[in-house]
Amino acid sequence: MCGIVGYAGSAYAQDIILDGLKRLEYRGYDSAGMAVLDGDRLQVRKRAGKLARLVESLTGNSLPGSLGVGHTRWATHGEPNETNAHPHLSADGRIAVVHNGIVENASQLRHSLEAEGIVFRSGTDTEVLAHLIARHYAGNLPEAVARCMREAEGAMAICVVMQGQGGLMVGARRGSPLIVGLGDGEMFIASDVPTILSRTRRVIYLEEGDICTLRRDRCDILDAAGAPVERLVVEVTFDSAAAEKEGYPHFMLKEIHQQPSVVSHQILTYAGDRGGHISLPGLIPLYERMESLNRIVIVACGTAWHAGIVGKYLIERFARVPVEVEMASEFRYGDRVLDDRTLVLLITQSGETADTVEAMRMAKRSARCTLAIVNVEGSTIAREADAALFTHAGPEVGVASTKGYTSQLSALALFALDLAGKRNVLCEEELCVWLDRLRAIPDMMERCISRRDAVRNCARKPVYRDALHAMFIGRGFGYASALEGALKLKEISYIHVEGYAAGEMKHGPIALVTDALPVICIATRDAVHSKMLSNMQEIKARGGQIIGIVSDGDTAGAELCNDVFFVPECPAPFSPLLAAIPLQLFAYYVADALGRDVDQPRNLAKSVTVE
Ligand code: AGP
């Protein structure tokens, strides 16, 4: 996934573009570049590596001009070097393009262009777009972009500037997000809202197929059919400070600490501070179908898929509706049997994950009901799903999802309880009891965070910090926590980590247990607690180094551990909300002790908007 930002106005474009790229760097950081028009002179600067390299190249050697585009890259086609960095130019150097997405038919188009004598400079699919636009240009840049979009296949958001166009830039979106910012005598284009929030709060979320032409004082939009269209201008409410570190060394640590208030605010929003009433206004479009539902298919990726496993256990536990959980990348290419009593529930923090977007569209094409549990309002999934339940976690910048995950868990708990009430499986009094138990969770999360020093001291021990492999195991709700804890540690420390259902140990994984293998056991008190203790005894007997996530006061469990992170005792259905905290902190402190780039781990991006 890459980040795009464009500016047309009267200020110094380079500085505005750099500020935007700094806010976009979480989307990809293999390379960065910009193209700036100074009158009729188009200049390009790009560097491989982090944005700091580009900033360094501009120090004392800046690019004058008040119109330009910038890009930060997560490489899909072509290695992450300076040649492959965006922007890419047409053969005559007059057209510059930045792009987020994948041109699926790039190789065919490249061969066709090469047959016309075009000599490619890079190994990217994006350069094909620059040459296509040049091929189609006959005096009207938006028209040339439209023809290019019709010929190129795949998901893409692009922004184009050209010499001799008198201060205009053109943007287009299909399958990747792109927004327009309306300033005072200046216009912006960007991959997301926080990128331009310091300059304007008035935004337009471009729709699929839209092509916009921006000058400093006007915005013209054509829809997918090429007809002029007026899009809704939205006044954005959240503030740009929310997307800053606020004194924490990393966004991830800040976002871990935000979780109790995020979950508390969400519960208050949807269920108040007392009683058994739940109000999920986003679900109103589904209400008349909720009662006839006889199956739910949860579809998601990564951490959101782990939340989906918890969601399955919650919905089946409370509402007694059968639930399947699918990885979006499998679901979208599978030949699934869905009928009109099936609800497809998409879980996604960004609302832009390519596989989840296409899974939703596939479900809608077969006329199934789709509900999104999503954080980013205005995102593709939030706008296209039949209904949306917002997690209200605020911007999550750290690539490793933390508050995005726990806010999904609390939203799933509220959804499951609401469904149970609507299906008369739980009465108002029972709902009140369960909601009061859920309302107590944020304080317990706060207590887990207050115990961070014990986690940090443990994470710094060489037996864990320097481990080459590790394993996380759990049962029931603890199984999902084990999967999520494994992913957290894996993606930011680069240690090879596996998450397993503890009951599976004897079916193979226990062969890996030695005194060099840390095994993190989710062993909070629940119906399968004694089974977990048996697993831990078997691991201990073989020399495994056990870190236990154990309920306060559970001395039997603690005795089996080399190190233990205590969490307050809570009802099993809500235990993943507590277990997540020490698991996130453990991953964070191990990665930090290893000197990893915690907020921007190698090879990853915050939202995977390409397959
Ligand atoms: C989680 O820490 C990862 N960053 C990743 O697995 C993420 O959860 C996944 O890409 C799904 O993203 P989404 O929730 O924005 O759809």
Side-chain angles (χ1 to χ4, degrees):
M1 180 198 65
C2 307
I4 291 174
V5 60
Y7 175 74
S10 51
Y12 201 48
Q14 173 188 302
D15 293 348
I16 293 178
I17 291 169
L18 281 179
D19 179 64
L21 291 179
K22 286 189 183 84
R23 299 168 193 276
L24 280 167
E25 213 181 359
Y26 72 93
R27 297 170 67 90
Y29 27 87
D30 291 336
S31 62
M34 70 169 73
V36 178
L37 262 173
D38 182 18
D40 206 24
R41 185 173 168 231
L42 180 65
Q43 295 190 81
V44 174
R45 188 76 53 79
K46 47 190 188 178
R47 287 291 183 273
K50 289 276 183 95
L51 181 61
R53 299 278 317 280
L54 178 66
V55 173
E56 194 181 301
S57 76
L58 291 164
T59 306
N61 183 13
S62 60
L63 301 181
S66 57
L67 181 136
V69 293
H71 183 273
T72 183
R73 183 175 182 236
W74 185 82
T76 55
H77 290 62
E79 61 180 271
N81 59 24
E82 185 170 317
T83 305
N84 290 332
H86 301 208
H88 287 284
L89 299 177
S90 54
D92 61 7
R94 291 171 52 81
I95 295 171
V97 180
V98 291
H99 163 228
N100 174 30
I102 285 186
V103 182
E104 304 276 5
N105 57 342
S107 54
Q108 301 93 303
L109 292 170
R110 185 182 182 116
H111 293 140
S112 155
L113 289 160
E114 285 172 332
E116 293 172 10
I118 296 291
V119 177
F120 277 76
R121 303 179 185 91
S122 79
T124 68
D125 54 342
T126 305
E127 189 181 347
V128 167
L129 301 176
H131 296 309
L132 272 188
I133 293 167
R135 176 204 271 177
H136 291 306
Y137 181 73
N140 180 319
L141 186 58
E143 173 53 37
V145 170
R147 293 178 66 182
C148 164
M149 295 292 280
R150 286 195 288 271
E151 209 171 338
E153 296 167 7
M156 59 193 74
I158 66 173
C159 194
V160 187
V161 291
M162 179 178 180
Q163 280 177 313
Q165 289 298 305
L168 71 80
M169 64 180 168
V170 177
R173 76 152 287 177
R174 182 179 64 212
S176 287
L178 201 62
I179 59 115
V180 169
L182 309 166
D184 182 8
E186 54 187 20
M187 291 287 175
F188 304 84
I189 202 160
S191 298
D192 64 18
V193 169
T195 304
I196 57 164
L197 211 49
S198 62
R199 304 286 298 193
T200 181
R201 290 184 171 282
R202 301 174 63 238
V203 302
I204 291 172
Y205 294 99
L206 292 177
E207 300 285 342
E208 280 297 89
D210 282 0
I211 293 179
C212 65
T213 303
L214 300 180
R215 294 172 179 82
R216 66 173 61 183
D217 55 1
R218 64 177 292 168
C219 167
D220 298 295
I221 300 174
L222 300 175
D223 65 14
V229 65
E230 291 290 326
R231 293 292 181 213
L232 177 69
V233 178
V234 174
E235 190 75 24
V236 174
T237 52
F238 66 79
D239 61 22
S240 56
E244 301 301 333
K245 288 183 194 169
E246 294 172 0
Y248 286 93
H250 297 101
F251 280 110
M252 183 180 176
L253 193 59
K254 169 191 167 188
E255 288 151 8
I256 289 172
H257 283 74
Q258 286 180 318
Q259 292 178 111
S261 60
V262 163
V263 170
S264 172
H265 170 76
Q266 187 198 90
I267 296 168
L268 204 59
T269 302
Y270 291 132
D273 62 358
R274 65 180 64 100
H277 179 66
I278 298 170
S279 166
L280 306 177
L283 272 60
I284 289 171
L286 303 183
Y287 275 165
E288 74 281 0
R289 298 178 64 166
M290 295 283 265
E291 286 184 29
S292 66
L293 275 185
N294 66 0
R295 179 170 161 240
I296 294 174
V297 179
I298 295 177
V299 182
C301 298
T303 283
W305 180 71
H306 300 151
I309 294 172
V310 177
K312 168 186 169 66
Y313 295 167
L314 287 168
I315 295 166
E316 291 186 345
R317 167 71 175 73
F318 290 127
R320 312 306 296 158
V321 174
V323 181
E324 297 150 48
V325 187
E326 289 251 24
M327 291 171 180
S329 54
E330 287 298 307
F331 177 82
R332 64 176 288 198
Y333 291 113
D335 189 10
R336 298 294 183 268
V337 176
L338 303 171
D339 67 20
D340 58 8
R341 298 179 63 192
T342 301
L343 170 68
V344 176
L345 171 52
L346 298 311
I347 304 176
T348 171
Q349 188 284 130
S350 65
E352 300 297 350
T353 299
D355 286 323
T356 312
V357 169
E358 290 310 318
M360 169 192 66
R361 289 173 176 166
M362 188 193 94
K364 288 185 73 173
R365 279 195 296 274
S366 56
R368 303 310 159 225
C369 220
T370 55
L371 164 64
I373 291 184
V374 55
N375 188 38
V376 178
E377 299 187 30
S379 62
T380 301
I381 291 176
R383 286 183 291 112
E384 293 187 16
D386 296 311
L389 173 54
F390 290 105
T391 53
H392 294 309
E396 184 177 66
V397 180
V399 165
S401 185
T402 51
K403 64 177 183 175
Y405 173 65
T406 49
S407 62
Q408 288 162 358
L409 298 185
S410 49
L412 283 161
L414 291 165
F415 171 74
L417 289 168
D418 184 48
L419 188 60
K422 283 186 173 44
R423 298 171 64 89
N424 301 313
V425 176
L426 293 178
C427 66
E428 177 111 10
E429 290 73 25
E430 290 167 317
L431 284 174
C432 186
V433 168
W434 278 107
L435 283 172
D436 284 342
R437 290 168 176 166
L438 185 60
R439 291 178 181 116
I441 292 297
D443 285 346
M444 294 180 181
M445 295 173 81
E446 203 64 73
R447 278 156 51 194
C448 292
I449 288 175
S450 70
R451 299 169 181 174
R452 59 182 167 264
D453 292 350
V455 181
R456 185 184 57 230
N457 297 339
C458 174
R460 289 174 174 171
K461 290 181 180 178
V463 66
Y464 306 127
R465 185 200 61 209
D466 301 335
L468 298 177
H469 308 278
M471 189 184 288
F472 287 62
I473 62 170
R475 290 175 180 260
F477 287 97
Y479 166 51
S481 296
L483 295 177
E484 174 57 13
L487 176 61
K488 284 289 93 54
L489 182 61
K490 177 189 308 180
E491 66 176 325
I492 63 175
S493 73
Y494 314 152
I495 295 170
H496 169 243
V497 190
E498 295 192 48
Y500 257 99
E504 279 292 293
M505 286 301 280
K506 290 192 183 68
H507 302 287
I510 199 164
L512 297 175
V513 174
T514 70
D515 60 4
L517 183 76
V519 183
I520 294 82
C521 300
I522 319 305
T524 49
R525 275 206 189 88
D526 58 19
V528 286
H529 180 248
S530 60
K531 303 298 178 191
M532 270 310 294
L533 297 190
S534 302
N535 285 119
M536 293 160 75
Q537 281 154 353
E538 290 156 8
I539 291 164
K540 191 172 182 61
R542 291 162 178 79
Q545 298 292 313
I546 297 178
I547 297 177
I549 311 289
V550 169
S551 298
D552 286 346
D554 178 8
T555 50
E559 281 163 4
L560 294 169
C561 303
N562 299 79
D563 290 277
V564 59
F565 305 147
F566 286 105
V567 297
E569 183 154 1
C570 77
F574 305 147
S575 60
L577 279 151
L578 300 189
I581 305 284
L583 295 176
Q584 292 162 356
L585 289 168
F586 181 71
Y588 173 80
Y589 287 121
V590 169
D592 190 45
L594 291 170
R596 304 296 191 221
D597 194 337
V598 168
D599 284 333
Q600 299 175 357
R602 70 185 181 201
N603 305 340
L604 294 178
K606 181 57 186 171
S607 173
V608 183
T609 59
V610 293
E611 286 187 55

